[in-house]
Each structure stands twice: as structure tokens, then as C-alpha cells.
Amino acid sequence: MTPPPPLVPPIGRRIGRRLLLAAALAFPAAAQAAQDKPLRPRPDPSPSTDPALSIRDRGAIGDGRSHPLSERYKSLEAARRVHPHVRSLDQECDWAALQGAVLELSRSGHGGTVMVPPGHYRLDGEIVLPNLDGYDEAFNEVEIVGAGMRASLLSWPEDLGPGRFGIRAGSRLAARDGTLTDNDGYQRSRIAHLSLQGPKPGNRPGDPPPGMGGVALTSRFVLERVGVFGFRAGVDVWRDHSSLISCQLTKNHIGAYWSAGTESFGDHLFLDTDLAGNTLASIAVAPENGIDHSSFISCHFGFSPYGILAEDGAPKRTFLSNNKFLDCAFEACGNGWIHGPLAEMYGNSLIGCSGSLLPRYRLAKQPTAGLIVVRSLERNRFTGGTASFGDGTNDRAADIQTAAIVAASAVGNRFDDADRLIRLGRDGLAPALSVTGTCRANRFEAQDCSGEFRKVGTGGVDAGNLVQRDYDRVRRLEPDRPADGVALTSASAGGVVPIATTGAAPVGKTRGAIRMGTVLRPAGAMPHRVDPGPGSAAPVGIAVVDAPAGSDSVMVDLRLEVR
């Protein structure tokens, strides 16, 4: 039964006129007293049993301004009754709330999600995620989830210094102070739908970077739609099997960093992640580290000096090993796409990738030696966009000082769809490869022909020359020797040229006219050219077009026995 409204007497009782008048006068006085009474402090939060916990419920403010704990608590003892982890009343309320929520869920026995509602939260310390025991059935995983990359912002206006991070995995302590070993704890977590802003969100190439990093990963982390900018490194990668999905790692010194003092076991996934617009490199790798068995799918590198950079120093591991780069863009790089003059690049696949150079992002006094510069290039496969090395309009091949690819040794690489790569040299813009040491078994496939990149022996070769083997090199064809291929570009001794062995290629000829369909052989006086005359030399191929008497070459459908 609905209770009677206020001031209506129960059945069997009467209220006099004076009592009614006193009650009426009491209401305004009570309302005024409620307004005059100061607000009570937020009640101490009770331990949560909910798998989701909002940092607003733990005292976060999120208005972008500084709010030290001293605004809310008169003593450190009072603050620690609510936030046991704080050490000073100068610490920010937003940091205390976020770290406290993480700790509370990690100690709850079931883990959960820390919710970051829309707002700008000012932090002044690391957020440390729990270190998990791999043998504990209750893993206590804690994830941090915001309301959107543009809605929930965590910022660190003051630089915490080198070796410190905005958000750090607990087991990363091992890399800093030696209190743990690599085998202590098992880590996995998820950070999603928010952004992290460091102390220098607008730094430019040449400016000194901040000391602190953004997110320090370890095993099996997932970052989903997370923006990280203004740090020395947006994400510091360690251990294995972490995934970055639709993230933005921009306006840092380095987008993603395989850093010193850590070790990556590989199998990372970067999917639809933007690493463009950092002041040094989209990705950098310390000499003692390496990127192994990882996948980069539809990622954006560039608008920085380097796409992927191996830092200076004697390498202890392979720089890039057995990775997949699928449909990635190395756009507007100032000093090159992949750079590591002392590093090794082994067994990688670059499929459907493309790129360009832009002097605006070039470091001062550091020229662009090549698009890819490494010490050892072995068993890599370039197909699609990367094989053609640019779209022919904005790769600025004339800015390349040495070659498109520069290596001390190149063995067993494949360049599919390599028309543009070959044309760099044929047009005099830049050689395709420059290899100072071993160069063998580097196959290429072009639209009209296929063959190998080979080093040139004594005397050099010119474009259109028939060539012969000279051990692991080639030189102009000599009399009574079988032709081994035709050079598509020119180079002096020690240079590298593409040698077509099958398909159709332009071959130098004597001055005589040649009709389409004519069988061609090495010319007697100039065996590195062809003519239609009879002779004992084996046929080179068949003319596929008419060539007038004044022309220097003829397009030939090659018929060569590679010896």
C-alpha cells in the first residue's frame, strides 16, 4: 500500500494548526542549512568485487589541471587510508586513482577492467600493471579501457626521466633495477580506446627527445586503438606475442622501440598501425636486439628520417629476421626506408609495400645512401610495390647517392615485379643494387624478362651487352664463348647490373637493319652485340620488332642456355 504523503496524519491522529505552521516554516530553514554546510570528503572506497572499476569512483578528476592530494587530504596518513600506494601529498589525484584501481583489481583474485571515462587526466608517475605468476590459476589480469582515442587522455606534462614510462608492465622492473629476472612473472594485459600524451608532443627533428617512454610492453600485451605521442619511444617492445591493432604511435622520437637491455623473442603483430611522423624513426632497434618472426600488416611508416632504423653499434642479433611486411607504406622518409649499415636482414618478405623520399624529413649532413642500407641482405623477398621501389613520381631516385639497395653482401634474394627497380638504373637515376662483397643468386622478375643481379668483372659492361660468366661475375661476351645473358644497365668493374636470361630484352646490334622474326647471333667482330648474319655461334634469340639500320639495339626474345 502506498504510504501517505508527508504531513498527512495517520488515521486516528490529528495535527493542530500550530504544528502545521511550524513544519511549513522549518522547510526553508532546513534547505538553507543544507546549502551552507560544507561538502563532505568523498567516502573511502570499499574493495570492489565488480570486474569493471571506473577511476572516477576512486577519486579521479580528469579536468586536465593539477590536483595534488593535498587538496583533498590534510595528512599523508589520511590519504593512505584511501590510497595506500601514495608516498606524498604532492602526488596527483588522477594518478593515485588510476594506479589504485589497477592495484585493487590485481589483488581482488579475479582481475578486471579499469575504466577511464572521457576526460583529460594529469599524471605524475608510472602506472605499473601487475606482475603475474604463470602458475597461478587466478591470473588477475587487469586491462585499462577508455571511452575512445579522442575522448580519454592520460598525460604526463613533466618528464619522469630515462628508463621510466607512462604505463609499464610490472616484470619490466628487471630491465631497470635487476630486482627480477626474465623468468619472474608472466605478463599479459590490454590497453584500449585511449591516448597517452608525453611531455614533448610537438618535438621536431633535431630537437632533444624527452627521457621517458610511453608504454613498456612484455609478453602478450594487446594495444587496441591507442594513441601514444610526445615520448622518447611510443612503445617499448620486450618478449613476445604482443599485438598493436589500429594504434597511432606518432610525434614521438621513435614510434616503436626494440630497446637496449631487453630482448624480443618475436611473433609480434602490428595491424593497421600508424607509425608515421616521429622525429627519428618509425621503428628503431638497439644493436643487442632484433625483430624476429613478426608481422606488420597495413602499417604506415615514414614522415620521419627513417622508416626502420638499426641503431649504431656492433650488432649481437639479426636486425630483421623472418618478418612479414604486407601492404605497408614507407612514405616521405628523409634518409631511407630501412637503415642499418652494420646490420643483417635475413628471410623477410615485403609484399605489396611502397614508399617515397622527401628531403623535408632528412637529417642535416646525413645523405640518403639508399632506400635499404644493410650489411648483409640474405634470402629476402620483395614483391609488389617494394620490388618496383616507388611509383616513379615521388621516390626521388635522383636523391639516392649510392643505389636503391646498398649492402656488403647480397645472397639469395628475390625481386618480383622488378620493372621500376631496374628502370632506376636504366634511366640513369640510381643503380638498383650496390654490393661491395659477395653478390649471387639474386633473382629478379620483370614484366618482359627475368634474370639475376650480378657483379661486373674486368672491363665493365654497357646496357645491351651480351655477357659471359667470369666465375661469380660477368663481363662482355668474347669470341667463341656462349652468351650467358644480356646486361640491362651499365656498370664498371665491381658494380652490380641486372642480367636478363629469359624473356624479351633490348640487345645491342651492329648498324644493319633487322626484320622482326630474324634469328640473331653474336656479331663476329663485336660478339657482345648481335646481327642476322650466318655463323657458327649459337643463336641468341629472335627479333620481336623491326629495328632500322640507324638504331643501336633490337628487342630480342632470348633463347639462351645458361651455362
Side-chain angles (χ1 to χ4, degrees):
M1 182 174 182
T2 304
L7 301 181
V8 177
I11 298 175
R13 296 186 60 185
R14 296 177 62 86
I15 297 180
R17 183 180 298 176
R18 291 183 179 179
L19 184 58
L20 287 173
L21 180 60
L25 293 174
F27 275 115
Q32 183 64 41
Q35 293 179 2
D36 294 341
K37 186 176 181 180
L39 293 175
R40 298 179 62 187
R42 182 184 298 270
D44 294 352
S46 56
S48 174
T49 58
D50 193 328
L53 179 60
S54 171
I55 61 172
R56 289 287 178 90
D57 294 337
R58 289 302 180 265
I61 299 170
D63 63 0
R65 295 192 290 270
S66 175
H67 294 283
L69 290 167
S70 58
E71 289 185 358
R72 184 170 290 169
Y73 304 100
K74 293 183 177 180
S75 68
L76 180 59
E77 181 182 0
R80 296 189 67 181
R81 283 198 292 266
V82 181
H83 305 293
H85 53 288
V86 303
R87 296 293 179 266
S88 168
L89 289 179
D90 294 332
Q91 293 177 286
E92 293 286 344
C93 288
D94 288 348
W95 173 83
L98 178 51
Q99 183 64 78
V102 169
L103 292 172
E104 183 174 327
L105 287 178
S106 70
R107 295 165 181 169
S108 65
H110 52 69
T113 301
V114 175
M115 306 300 299
V116 182
H120 179 178
Y121 301 89
R122 181 179 175 124
L123 310 178
D124 61 349
E126 291 182 302
I127 299 300
V128 181
L129 293 170
N131 191 42
L132 309 175
D133 184 353
Y135 301 100
D136 186 359
E137 293 183 359
F139 268 79
N140 293 343
E141 292 180 29
V142 177
E143 59 182 18
I144 302 175
V145 179
M149 195 184 296
R150 304 292 181 187
S152 300
L153 175 63
L154 308 177
S155 71
W156 286 261
E158 301 297 328
D159 195 342
L160 300 183
R164 306 292 293 277
F165 300 92
I167 300 178
R168 173 172 56 81
S171 56
R172 289 296 295 266
L173 281 169
R176 195 170 75 189
D177 58 18
T179 58
L180 299 173
T181 68
D182 285 350
N183 296 322
D184 284 333
Y186 176 80
Q187 198 84 36
R188 66 184 181 194
S189 188
R190 174 173 174 257
I191 304 171
H193 306 294
L194 50 79
S195 290
L196 284 69
Q197 177 179 299
K200 298 189 72 173
N203 52 329
R204 300 168 298 177
D207 290 348
M212 69 178 296
V215 181
L217 304 178
T218 183
S219 297
R220 302 182 186 277
F221 263 65
V222 175
L223 270 62
E224 182 179 354
R225 294 192 59 80
V226 173
V228 189
F229 51 97
F231 296 94
R232 184 177 187 86
V235 170
D236 193 291
V237 182
W238 190 32
R239 308 282 295 259
D240 59 291
H241 290 91
S242 286
S243 300
L244 279 77
I245 302 171
S246 299
C247 294
Q248 291 185 347
L249 312 180
T250 65
K251 297 184 179 180
N252 305 286
H253 187 58
I254 298 167
Y257 189 27
W258 275 251
S259 62
T262 65
E263 186 174 13
S264 171
F265 303 140
D267 298 308
H268 300 289
L269 170 65
F270 283 62
L271 173 63
D272 187 31
T273 290
D274 185 1
L275 299 112
N278 296 287
T279 63
L280 178 64
S282 297
I283 291 177
V285 181
E288 57 264 56
N289 215 331
I291 305 179
D292 308 315
H293 294 89
S294 296
S295 297
F296 300 84
I297 303 173
S298 298
C299 292
H300 190 193
F301 306 95
F303 287 90
S304 59
Y306 300 101
I308 304 177
L309 172 68
E311 291 187 324
D312 293 340
K316 297 180 180 179
R317 294 180 56 195
T318 303
F319 168 40
L320 297 174
S321 174
N322 296 295
N323 300 292
K324 301 285 191 300
F325 296 87
L326 174 62
D327 193 26
C328 293
F330 293 84
E331 186 178 2
C333 296
N335 296 86
W337 302 354
I338 300 175
H339 188 84
L342 300 178
E344 297 180 344
M345 186 172 171
Y346 178 91
N348 302 279
S349 296
L350 284 81
I351 304 171
C353 299
S354 61
S356 61
L357 293 174
L358 196 61
R360 174 183 173 184
Y361 298 98
R362 187 173 301 158
L363 293 176
K365 300 180 180 180
Q366 294 193 30
T368 303
L371 300 178
I372 297 177
V373 180
V374 292
R375 182 178 65 83
S376 176
L377 188 75
E378 185 172 350
R379 300 192 183 189
N380 300 281
R381 180 169 182 173
F382 304 85
T383 183
T386 46
S388 59
F389 282 80
D391 61 11
T393 60
N394 65 352
D395 56 6
R396 300 183 65 90
D399 290 342
I400 300 173
Q401 288 202 346
T402 306
I405 299 177
V406 182
S409 67
V411 178
N413 301 285
R414 287 189 57 180
F415 302 88
D416 299 334
D417 307 324
D419 294 87
R420 176 61 183 161
L421 179 61
I422 294 171
R423 196 163 71 85
L424 290 177
R426 193 159 62 219
D427 290 352
L429 298 175
L433 274 71
S434 174
V435 183
T436 56
T438 303
C439 179
R440 56 184 174 85
N442 296 296
R443 298 285 304 173
F444 73 84
E445 294 285 339
Q447 183 174 355
D448 295 325
C449 61
S450 62
E452 289 186 3
F453 287 100
R454 298 181 190 162
K455 293 194 75 171
V456 178
T458 303
V461 298
D462 295 321
N465 284 174
L466 293 174
V467 296
Q468 67 185 56
R469 287 272 190 181
D470 184 12
Y471 295 99
D472 63 339
R473 304 191 177 199
V474 294
R475 60 183 178 183
R476 289 180 179 178
L477 185 65
E478 298 176 349
D480 302 323
R481 295 291 301 272
D484 191 56
V486 54
L488 298 180
T489 62
S490 301
S492 58
V496 177
V497 296
I499 302 297
T501 56
T502 59
V507 181
K509 69 177 184 65
T510 57
R511 292 291 178 176
I514 296 177
R515 298 289 302 272
M516 181 176 64
T518 303
V519 176
L520 302 173
R521 291 179 169 83
M526 293 183 291
H528 56 279
R529 298 191 176 196
V530 294
D531 65 27
S536 59
V540 170
I542 300 171
V544 296
V545 294
D546 291 337
S551 63
D552 292 328
S553 64
V554 59
M555 186 64 70
V556 176
D557 184 7
L558 299 174
R559 296 289 191 269
L560 301 172
E561 293 183 9
V562 179
R563 293 176 173 86

